[in-house]
Amino acid sequence: MSSSSATTQAFSLIQEEFEQPCPIRDVLDRIGDQWSLLILESLAPGTLRFNELSREIGDISRQMLSRTLKRLETDGFVQRTLYAEVPPRVEYTLTELGQSFLVPMRELVKWADTHHARICQARRESKSG
């Protein structure tokens, strides 16, 4: 690889890393969607197959589950393992990064649960004038 090619590749990696200039927003945008936290919590006890995960969550479409799992895999939260069997078996498990996120995630969920009534009350008051 030429030195100019290596420089171009290094610049490309740096540019990709900083596409989203705010790391907090970048991470929260990805895990703050409607389904990611539910998927991560469902995988906390251990490995699940796609259909088990779908049943665990309940009201998620297969397409949305698949899309969200791919994003979580891309970001390093979830590991997908495909077994060459007939029929193919696919399992999902939390990575070390995914496991490390459970602690702050659960604190956030606890905070939201504790303060939800106050937030709803503030919304009602804001609407009434």
Side-chain angles (χ1 to χ4, degrees), residues 36-72:
S36 292
L37 296 181
L38 292 172
I39 291 171
L40 294 171
E41 185 62 35
S42 295
L43 288 171
T47 302
L48 292 174
R49 295 177 71 174
F50 185 88
N51 286 334
E52 293 171 323
L53 195 48
S54 180
R55 281 191 299 273
E56 180 79 21
I57 295 172
D59 57 348
I60 188 171
S61 72
R62 295 178 65 79
Q63 180 183 15
M64 184 54 69
L65 177 58
S66 179
R67 188 179 311 152
T68 306
L69 282 166
K70 284 178 186 168
R71 283 198 315 259
L72 291 170

Side-chain angles (χ1 to χ4, degrees), residues 70-121:
K70 284 178 186 168
R71 283 198 315 259
L72 291 170
E73 182 182 7
T74 298
D75 286 350
F77 288 93
V78 171
Q79 179 181 335
R80 177 183 185 265
T81 305
L82 173 64
Y83 295 92
E85 301 173 349
V86 178
R89 177 171 50 112
V90 180
E91 293 181 342
Y92 297 90
T93 190
L94 292 180
T95 62
E96 185 178 322
L97 180 66
Q99 288 286 341
S100 74
F101 182 66
L102 292 176
V103 173
M105 181 186 85
R106 287 177 175 154
E107 284 300 313
L108 177 61
V109 168
K110 188 169 91 176
W111 183 91
D113 189 46
T114 300
H115 295 90
H116 187 245
R118 289 175 56 194
I119 293 168
C120 289
Q121 178 63 35

Side-chain angles (χ1 to χ4, degrees), residues 5-57:
S5 177
T7 302
T8 302
Q9 186 178 16
F11 179 75
S12 177
L13 289 172
I14 291 169
Q15 187 178 14
E16 183 178 309
E17 182 178 346
F18 291 103
E19 268 182 24
Q20 174 57 266
C22 177
I24 296 166
R25 188 174 351 168
D26 184 37
V27 173
L28 291 179
D29 283 350
R30 293 299 285 239
I31 55 94
D33 63 31
Q34 182 177 357
W35 301 109
S36 292
L37 296 181
L38 292 172
I39 291 171
L40 294 171
E41 185 62 35
S42 295
L43 288 171
T47 302
L48 292 174
R49 295 177 71 174
F50 185 88
N51 286 334
E52 293 171 323
L53 195 48
S54 180
R55 281 191 299 273
E56 180 79 21
I57 295 172

